[in-house]
Amino acid sequence: MLGPLEVLRDGHPVALGPPRQRQLVAFLLLRRGAAVATEELLDALWGDPQPPAAKAALHNTVSALRRALGAEAVQTQRGAYAIRVEPGGLDVVRFEELLADARTRRGGRRRAYLVAALALFRGPPLEDFAHEPWAREERVRLEELQLAALEDRLDCDVALGRHAEAVAELEALVLRHPLRERLWHVLMLALYRSGRQGDALAAYRRAHRAFADELGIEPGVSLRELQRAILVQDTSLHDEVDPFERAAELLPTDAAALLDYATALAERARGMLAAQDGPTRRASRRRGDT
């Protein structure tokens, strides 16, 4: 659902048929396995007033989906319908789980979970149903979560010393979202830590202008405090990347790969010690001779 609707069966895309069938799949997926009453489905998919044959059309649509997805995929429960999805099979759920995991991590590990969560998006969420009233609330919610996760990931980038990489992406984002104070904050900090104090202050002026023009207000306290800190070159703004966090970001996450990495590192350390041991022994012998 994080992009155009796509359903896989045994790893292969399923042809979902005409728009009404696709709408029914998406509507049921929004309920994440909960049953939806027939009347609610009719209101959502056919509107009011409903055509006389709407209920029969719904039954036909369900039958067609069962042929496409499997007989057990769409279940009937006392005048309601539910769609069955394998555990972990819905990208929206995986996205939310990765975000929850990211909140429990720090540094490079936190960034890795955020990158994995954002990689699930193949386009705007529920892209096929941008004009459907029943999809609007979920689309807005997922777009907000996506943007907040992107802000978190960019914040991690700057905290890990990836200033230059972050600046270009942030510049594009503030153009699309000029009233997101956090984006301006991270952009200003990334510019400052890249040695671009003037550009960081110019970014504040652009943010101030956007808020004044759109809302008739100044940016919030956090952004104003950051501007003042940049003006006086406050030492608290200096890049303080934890070397252990940076090293952890480079380590493999797979257990087997991590073991191979540790073994190779130990072999290299033994080689370095052996290389140093020869000169040490020769020096000791020379001292003994004298």
Side-chain angles (χ1 to χ4, degrees), residues 193-211:
R193 288 185 175 176
S194 299
R196 299 169 61 181
Q197 182 181 8
D199 289 335
L201 293 171
Y204 176 80
R205 291 193 293 273
R206 284 188 284 147
H208 189 284
R209 187 161 53 249
F211 278 85

mmCIF file of all heavy atoms in Angstrom, residues 193-211:
data_model
loop_
_atom_site.group_PDB
_atom_site.id
_atom_site.type_symbol
_atom_site.label_atom_id
_atom_site.label_comp_id
_atom_site.label_asym_id
_atom_site.label_seq_id
_atom_site.Cartn_x
_atom_site.Cartn_y
_atom_site.Cartn_z
ATOM 1 N N ARG A 193 27.930 22.935 10.163
ATOM 2 C CA ARG A 193 28.969 21.932 10.411
ATOM 3 C C ARG A 193 29.777 21.613 9.167
ATOM 4 O O ARG A 193 30.838 20.979 9.259
ATOM 5 C CB ARG A 193 28.326 20.661 10.970
ATOM 6 C CG ARG A 193 27.839 20.829 12.397
ATOM 7 C CD ARG A 193 27.307 19.539 12.982
ATOM 8 N NE ARG A 193 26.955 19.687 14.382
ATOM 9 C CZ ARG A 193 26.404 18.742 15.126
ATOM 10 N NH1 ARG A 193 26.147 17.551 14.586
ATOM 11 N NH2 ARG A 193 26.117 18.961 16.394
ATOM 12 N N SER A 194 29.273 22.038 8.008
ATOM 13 C CA SER A 194 30.039 21.890 6.762
ATOM 14 C C SER A 194 30.950 23.091 6.528
ATOM 15 O O SER A 194 31.559 23.214 5.464
ATOM 16 C CB SER A 194 29.085 21.735 5.575
ATOM 17 O OG SER A 194 28.281 20.584 5.715
ATOM 18 N N GLY A 195 31.035 23.985 7.514
ATOM 19 C CA GLY A 195 31.861 25.181 7.371
ATOM 20 C C GLY A 195 31.203 26.285 6.577
ATOM 21 O O GLY A 195 31.878 27.176 6.072
ATOM 22 N N ARG A 196 29.871 26.254 6.470
ATOM 23 C CA ARG A 196 29.137 27.239 5.666
ATOM 24 C C ARG A 196 28.242 28.085 6.568
ATOM 25 O O ARG A 196 27.034 28.059 6.483
ATOM 26 C CB ARG A 196 28.322 26.500 4.594
ATOM 27 C CG ARG A 196 29.184 25.697 3.637
ATOM 28 C CD ARG A 196 28.363 24.760 2.768
ATOM 29 N NE ARG A 196 27.409 25.448 1.943
ATOM 30 C CZ ARG A 196 26.563 24.846 1.105
ATOM 31 N NH1 ARG A 196 26.563 23.520 1.017
ATOM 32 N NH2 ARG A 196 25.711 25.541 0.391
ATOM 33 N N GLN A 197 28.880 28.846 7.446
ATOM 34 C CA GLN A 197 28.129 29.646 8.411
ATOM 35 C C GLN A 197 27.212 30.649 7.711
ATOM 36 O O GLN A 197 26.055 30.831 8.101
ATOM 37 C CB GLN A 197 29.088 30.384 9.343
ATOM 38 C CG GLN A 197 28.377 31.217 10.408
ATOM 39 C CD GLN A 197 29.348 31.957 11.310
ATOM 40 O OE1 GLN A 197 30.550 31.969 11.058
ATOM 41 N NE2 GLN A 197 28.845 32.561 12.364
ATOM 42 N N GLY A 198 27.716 31.318 6.672
ATOM 43 C CA GLY A 198 26.901 32.297 5.951
ATOM 44 C C GLY A 198 25.678 31.668 5.327
ATOM 45 O O GLY A 198 24.572 32.231 5.380
ATOM 46 N N ASP A 199 25.855 30.495 4.731
ATOM 47 C CA ASP A 199 24.716 29.815 4.117
ATOM 48 C C ASP A 199 23.704 29.370 5.178
ATOM 49 O O ASP A 199 22.495 29.353 4.935
ATOM 50 C CB ASP A 199 25.192 28.601 3.320
ATOM 51 C CG ASP A 199 25.939 28.992 2.055
ATOM 52 O OD1 ASP A 199 25.695 30.107 1.556
ATOM 53 O OD2 ASP A 199 26.768 28.193 1.578
ATOM 54 N N ALA A 200 24.206 28.976 6.357
ATOM 55 C CA ALA A 200 23.307 28.576 7.434
ATOM 56 C C ALA A 200 22.440 29.757 7.873
ATOM 57 O O ALA A 200 21.231 29.610 8.094
ATOM 58 C CB ALA A 200 24.110 28.047 8.616
ATOM 59 N N LEU A 201 23.034 30.937 7.981
ATOM 60 C CA LEU A 201 22.267 32.130 8.362
ATOM 61 C C LEU A 201 21.314 32.547 7.240
ATOM 62 O O LEU A 201 20.201 33.012 7.504
ATOM 63 C CB LEU A 201 23.222 33.266 8.714
ATOM 64 C CG LEU A 201 24.065 33.028 9.976
ATOM 65 C CD1 LEU A 201 25.143 34.101 10.116
ATOM 66 C CD2 LEU A 201 23.178 32.983 11.213
ATOM 67 N N ALA A 202 21.755 32.366 5.997
ATOM 68 C CA ALA A 202 20.867 32.667 4.870
ATOM 69 C C ALA A 202 19.665 31.718 4.872
ATOM 70 O O ALA A 202 18.543 32.120 4.524
ATOM 71 C CB ALA A 202 21.635 32.554 3.554
ATOM 72 N N ALA A 203 19.877 30.465 5.263
ATOM 73 C CA ALA A 203 18.763 29.508 5.360
ATOM 74 C C ALA A 203 17.768 29.978 6.410
ATOM 75 O O ALA A 203 16.548 29.853 6.217
ATOM 76 C CB ALA A 203 19.298 28.120 5.694
ATOM 77 N N TYR A 204 18.267 30.530 7.517
ATOM 78 C CA TYR A 204 17.338 31.058 8.526
ATOM 79 C C TYR A 204 16.500 32.198 7.962
ATOM 80 O O TYR A 204 15.290 32.277 8.209
ATOM 81 C CB TYR A 204 18.091 31.536 9.769
ATOM 82 C CG TYR A 204 17.158 32.166 10.775
ATOM 83 C CD1 TYR A 204 16.409 31.368 11.620
ATOM 84 C CD2 TYR A 204 16.987 33.549 10.825
ATOM 85 C CE1 TYR A 204 15.511 31.937 12.521
ATOM 86 C CE2 TYR A 204 16.092 34.123 11.715
ATOM 87 C CZ TYR A 204 15.357 33.316 12.556
ATOM 88 O OH TYR A 204 14.455 33.868 13.440
ATOM 89 N N ARG A 205 17.131 33.076 7.182
ATOM 90 C CA ARG A 205 16.380 34.193 6.597
ATOM 91 C C ARG A 205 15.302 33.677 5.645
ATOM 92 O O ARG A 205 14.195 34.220 5.590
ATOM 93 C CB ARG A 205 17.329 35.155 5.887
ATOM 94 C CG ARG A 205 18.239 35.932 6.831
ATOM 95 C CD ARG A 205 18.932 37.093 6.133
ATOM 96 N NE ARG A 205 19.889 36.630 5.141
ATOM 97 C CZ ARG A 205 21.164 36.333 5.404
ATOM 98 N NH1 ARG A 205 21.623 36.418 6.651
ATOM 99 N NH2 ARG A 205 21.988 35.933 4.448
ATOM 100 N N ARG A 206 15.614 32.618 4.911
ATOM 101 C CA ARG A 206 14.606 32.034 4.026
ATOM 102 C C ARG A 206 13.450 31.430 4.827
ATOM 103 O O ARG A 206 12.278 31.579 4.451
ATOM 104 C CB ARG A 206 15.244 30.952 3.150
ATOM 105 C CG ARG A 206 16.086 31.492 1.998
ATOM 106 C CD ARG A 206 16.515 30.361 1.078
ATOM 107 N NE ARG A 206 17.592 29.581 1.640
ATOM 108 C CZ ARG A 206 17.775 28.274 1.463
ATOM 109 N NH1 ARG A 206 16.890 27.578 0.761
ATOM 110 N NH2 ARG A 206 18.794 27.647 1.984
ATOM 111 N N ALA A 207 13.792 30.766 5.925
ATOM 112 C CA ALA A 207 12.747 30.198 6.778
ATOM 113 C C ALA A 207 11.880 31.301 7.379
ATOM 114 O O ALA A 207 10.646 31.199 7.404
ATOM 115 C CB ALA A 207 13.385 29.361 7.891
ATOM 116 N N HIS A 208 12.513 32.365 7.836
ATOM 117 C CA HIS A 208 11.784 33.494 8.428
ATOM 118 C C HIS A 208 10.818 34.084 7.414
ATOM 119 O O HIS A 208 9.652 34.379 7.727
ATOM 120 C CB HIS A 208 12.784 34.544 8.905
ATOM 121 C CG HIS A 208 12.160 35.640 9.714
ATOM 122 N ND1 HIS A 208 11.425 36.671 9.138
ATOM 123 C CD2 HIS A 208 12.151 35.865 11.057
ATOM 124 C CE1 HIS A 208 10.998 37.480 10.086
ATOM 125 N NE2 HIS A 208 11.424 37.010 11.266
ATOM 126 N N ARG A 209 11.284 34.234 6.179
ATOM 127 C CA ARG A 209 10.443 34.803 5.126
ATOM 128 C C ARG A 209 9.261 33.882 4.829
ATOM 129 O O ARG A 209 8.131 34.347 4.633
ATOM 130 C CB ARG A 209 11.274 35.032 3.865
ATOM 131 C CG ARG A 209 10.550 35.776 2.750
ATOM 132 C CD ARG A 209 11.527 36.363 1.739
ATOM 133 N NE ARG A 209 12.444 35.360 1.217
ATOM 134 C CZ ARG A 209 13.761 35.336 1.483
ATOM 135 N NH1 ARG A 209 14.291 36.236 2.298
ATOM 136 N NH2 ARG A 209 14.541 34.405 0.950
ATOM 137 N N ALA A 210 9.502 32.567 4.802
ATOM 138 C CA ALA A 210 8.416 31.616 4.519
ATOM 139 C C ALA A 210 7.339 31.681 5.596
ATOM 140 O O ALA A 210 6.141 31.713 5.289
ATOM 141 C CB ALA A 210 8.982 30.198 4.417
ATOM 142 N N PHE A 211 7.745 31.732 6.844
ATOM 143 C CA PHE A 211 6.765 31.784 7.931
ATOM 144 C C PHE A 211 6.030 33.123 7.947
ATOM 145 O O PHE A 211 4.817 33.172 8.203
ATOM 146 C CB PHE A 211 7.454 31.531 9.271
ATOM 147 C CG PHE A 211 7.659 30.083 9.570
ATOM 148 C CD1 PHE A 211 8.771 29.406 9.077
ATOM 149 C CD2 PHE A 211 6.740 29.373 10.315
ATOM 150 C CE1 PHE A 211 8.956 28.063 9.331
ATOM 151 C CE2 PHE A 211 6.908 28.023 10.582
ATOM 152 C CZ PHE A 211 8.031 27.361 10.084
#
